[in-house]
Each structure stands twice: as structure tokens, then as C-alpha cells.
Amino acid sequence: MRLQTWQAPPGDRIPNNPRFPVLVYRGVDAVTGADAARSLFAEHGWGGSWVASVFDFHHFHSTSHEALAVVSGRATIELGGPAGEAFEVAAGDVLVLPAGTGHRRATPRDGFSVVGAYPPGQEDYDLLREDVSDAELEAARERIAALGPPPQDPVGGEGVGNWA
């Protein structure tokens, strides 16, 4: 398992997270399919899991951090909103997105599918797009700023421990 980090730029309509970087775990051996990914996340206290794809429009969550384990296929995922960067991901990779991080699926390939999960108490996440009102965007920025790091890294790595 190899860890990459990336700090999303400050965004206009997609706020991104000013404190915490995106974590990209490459080659997580325990992610051998959806059931294995769900078990791994649950072992580290992350719940509310689901199996699907990633929306094909820029969006973010202001009430929760999110882990996405790629369980099949490959894809180009755009992180950070329109001003962000594209990342190639494949089965066995796990993205950990701090609250506010814009993300969307740009190009799915080979049956792309992910398992998503959230830290304890954050399973009831919101879903916001670029077209939120100015007042809602300001409220979202406040929620993001108030959200601290989760108690555990979703894959047991060192990444979330550096979010202090």
C-alpha cells in the first residue's frame, strides 16, 4: 500500500478543504471486492457504506469526510472541482476525501465500481453542487471548517493521522 497526498486548491463554488489533503492509497491489498472493502472500512469504524459508481457531476459533502474504495475497473476521477486535477484510479485504490472536496467521475472503464463509507456519526452526509446559493455555500464552508479529523483512517494507514 502506497500513500499519495494532494491538497486541493481553494475553490469558488466548490470549496475544497483548506486544512486536510486528499489521501490516495494505491494498491490496498485488502480491497479485493465490495465485501472486502466494506469489511475493511467497518474494521476501522467507517460505516454507511454503499456500492455504486461516483456521480458524473462535480459535487461535495460539507457534513462528512468520504472514503471511496475502487473495487472493480478503472476510472478518471476529477478532484477539487473544475480547477482541480484528474486522477487515474484502479481496483485496489482508495481515495479519502476530506469534507468539501469536489469530486466527479470523468471516465469510467472496465466496469468501474466503488464502495463508499463515512466516519462514525457522519453517515448522514449532504450532497451539494456548484449551483448552491451564496448563503448555502457560506454555511457549507462553516460546517467544513468545524469538522475535525475522523478518529481512524479508513484503511488503517497513516494518512488521517496527519490531518491533525
Side-chain angles (χ1 to χ4, degrees), residues 6 8 16-17 20-25 41 46 50 54 59-69 77-80 85 87 89 94-105 114 116-119 122 144 147-148 150 153-154 160 163:
W6 177 72
N16 294 317
N17 195 295
F20 305 140
V22 169
L23 308 175
V24 182
Y25 285 101
F41 289 159
W46 289 56
W50 48 266
V54 176
H59 65 285
F60 66 97
H61 311 291
S62 70
T63 58
S64 182
H65 306 301
E66 181 175 43
L68 299 171
I77 300 290
E78 293 177 358
L79 299 177
E85 289 186 27
F87 289 78
V89 295
V94 177
L95 300 169
V96 184
L97 308 177
T101 302
H103 52 292
R104 83 174 195 103
R105 181 195 75 234
V114 299
Y118 307 89
Q122 297 178 18
I144 292 163
L147 198 59
D153 189 276
V160 165
W163 280 8

Side-chain angles (χ1 to χ4, degrees), residues 80-132:
E85 289 186 27
F87 289 78
E88 296 300 320
V89 295
D93 293 343
V94 177
L95 300 169
V96 184
L97 308 177
T101 302
H103 52 292
R104 83 174 195 103
R105 181 195 75 234
T107 309
R109 295 179 292 286
D110 306 325
F112 176 71
S113 180
V114 299
V115 169
Y118 307 89
Q122 297 178 18
E123 298 89 349
D124 187 21
Y125 57 91
D126 60 0
L127 184 116
L128 302 172
R129 299 182 191 209
E130 299 173 271
D131 61 356
V132 297

Side-chain angles (χ1 to χ4, degrees), residues 1 25 28 40-41 43-44 46 152-160:
M1 174 170 69
Y25 285 101
V28 179
L40 178 66
F41 289 159
E43 178 183 325
H44 297 286
W46 289 56
Q152 291 187 57
D153 189 276
V155 300
E158 62 188 40
V160 165

